[in-house]
């Protein structure tokens, strides 16, 4: 298991004091697909996202990106391997312009002229159909556009695995449709996407596979979404009465 997958892990356990947030989780995600991770509040979804992104070091277990074993708990190591996380509440400073935001965290900025930099990031906005002027401030943009800028920014570093943690939580239903279109564009460009979601309807609308967490354990997955029954998925999420 895990051969040729873009991400795989096994035996991952994370504890916060007495709370077991993830217990012996093992999963492998195939490259170039949209993978949903679902579960109820407290199921461990955000912790899982943080483990993949190197923000949390598991107590036990092994992670690999592209077959390369990572030590875990190291954001720079994860980013170096091509992993980027977009949080539910965005990380870009609200006072930044779009141009500043797109350069945020990029390496070697000082060596390039403004127009060279713009050539580097503008295609990522265009590729996601984010229509916004470079001099607008983040705080003045509609939330869908802020999110679009944030996703595009993650791509500047050549992310091959993008994790979106509850990206629809801040969006209207129309905004969610726009996000799903952007996620499909990412897939078309070969980027693997892990989507943390909690609505079954959204999972079935956008994902290729679904992985279910319950009480920190992996219940099942990745299951191909094609032919997944919504009722059965709800049972997996909620668990036995
Ligand atoms: P939600 O949708 O509510 O964010 P989730 O599925 O993302 O839920 P996690 O946030 O990963 O779940 O939380 C898993 C468990 O770990 C929960 O019981 C939560 O209370 C606990 N937990 C998460 N972060 C911490 C922390 N920093 N300190 C203590 N307990 C934590």
């Amino acid at each position: 298991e895990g051969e040729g997958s873009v991400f795989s892990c096994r035996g991952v356990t994370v504890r916060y004091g007495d709370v077991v947030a993830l217990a012996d989780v093992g999963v492998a995600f195939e490259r170039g697909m949209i993978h949903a991770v679902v579960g109820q509040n407290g199921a461990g979804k955000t912790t899982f996202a943080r483990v993949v992104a190197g923000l949390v070091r598991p107590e036990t277990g092994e992670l690999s990106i592209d077959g390369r074993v990572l030590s875990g708990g190291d954001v720079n190591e994860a980013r170096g391997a091509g992993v980027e996380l977009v949080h539910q509440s965005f990380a870009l400073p609200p006072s930044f312009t779009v141009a500043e935001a797109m350069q945020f965290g990029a390496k070697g900025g000082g060596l390039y002229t403004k127009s060279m930099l713009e050539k580097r990031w503008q295609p990522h906005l265009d590729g996601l159909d984010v229509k916004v002027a470079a001099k607008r401030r983040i705080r003045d943009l509609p939330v869908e556009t802020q999110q679009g800028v944030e996703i595009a920014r993650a791509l500047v570093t050549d992310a091959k695995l993008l994790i979106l943690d509850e990206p629809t939580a801040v969006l209207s239903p129309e905004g969610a449709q726009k996000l799903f279109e952007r996620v499909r564009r990412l897939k078309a460009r070969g980027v693997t996407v892990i989507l943390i979601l909690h609505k079954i309807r959204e999972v079935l609308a956008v994902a290729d596979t679904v992985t279910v967490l319950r009480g920190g354990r992996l219940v099942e997955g990745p299951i191909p979404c094609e032919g997944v029954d919504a009722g059965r998925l709800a049972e997996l999420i909620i668990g036995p009465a």
Side-chain angles (χ1 to χ4, degrees), residues 20-37:
V20 181
L22 290 177
D24 193 26
V25 169
V27 69
F29 291 131
E30 212 178 294
R31 190 181 316 281
M33 297 178 91
I34 302 167
H35 301 285
V37 174

Side-chain angles (χ1 to χ4, degrees), residues 20-178:
V20 181
L22 290 177
D24 193 26
V25 169
V27 69
F29 291 131
E30 212 178 294
R31 190 181 316 281
M33 297 178 91
I34 302 167
H35 301 285
V37 174
V38 293
Q40 292 183 299
N41 288 345
K45 305 181 298 295
T46 293
T47 303
F48 177 74
R50 292 170 62 80
V51 165
V52 180
L55 290 160
V56 171
R57 184 196 291 273
E59 196 173 290
T60 60
E62 196 172 87
L63 313 173
S64 52
I65 304 288
D66 265 336
R68 187 169 128 201
V69 177
L70 304 188
S71 49
D74 183 339
V75 183
N76 291 324
E77 180 188 53
R79 292 189 81 194
V83 180
E84 290 285 337
L85 172 67
V86 173
H87 296 266
Q88 176 178 345
S89 52
F90 310 138
L92 295 175
S95 63
F96 272 25
T97 64
V98 169
E100 286 164 345
M102 290 303 289
Q103 277 143 237
F104 190 55
K107 293 163 232 163
L111 301 173
Y112 300 91
T113 65
K114 218 173 138 203
S115 85
M116 281 164 82
L117 284 170
E118 191 161 334
K119 272 199 198 96
R120 205 156 62 147
W121 52 255
Q122 187 61 48
H124 295 290
L125 289 172
D126 296 342
L128 289 174
D129 194 31
V130 182
K131 296 188 184 78
V132 66
K135 61 176 193 296
R136 298 277 317 269
R137 294 206 182 271
I138 295 297
R139 63 166 167 251
D140 297 332
L141 304 174
V143 69
E144 297 82 10
T145 311
Q146 289 186 31
Q147 187 180 57
V149 171
E150 187 114 3
I151 295 171
R153 188 206 57 81
L155 298 175
V156 174
T157 52
D158 290 325
K160 57 182 151 194
L161 176 60
L162 190 67
I163 312 154
L164 304 179
D165 188 4
E166 302 261 9
T168 58
V170 293
L171 302 176
S172 64
E174 298 73 37
Q177 289 312 313
K178 183 70 200 173

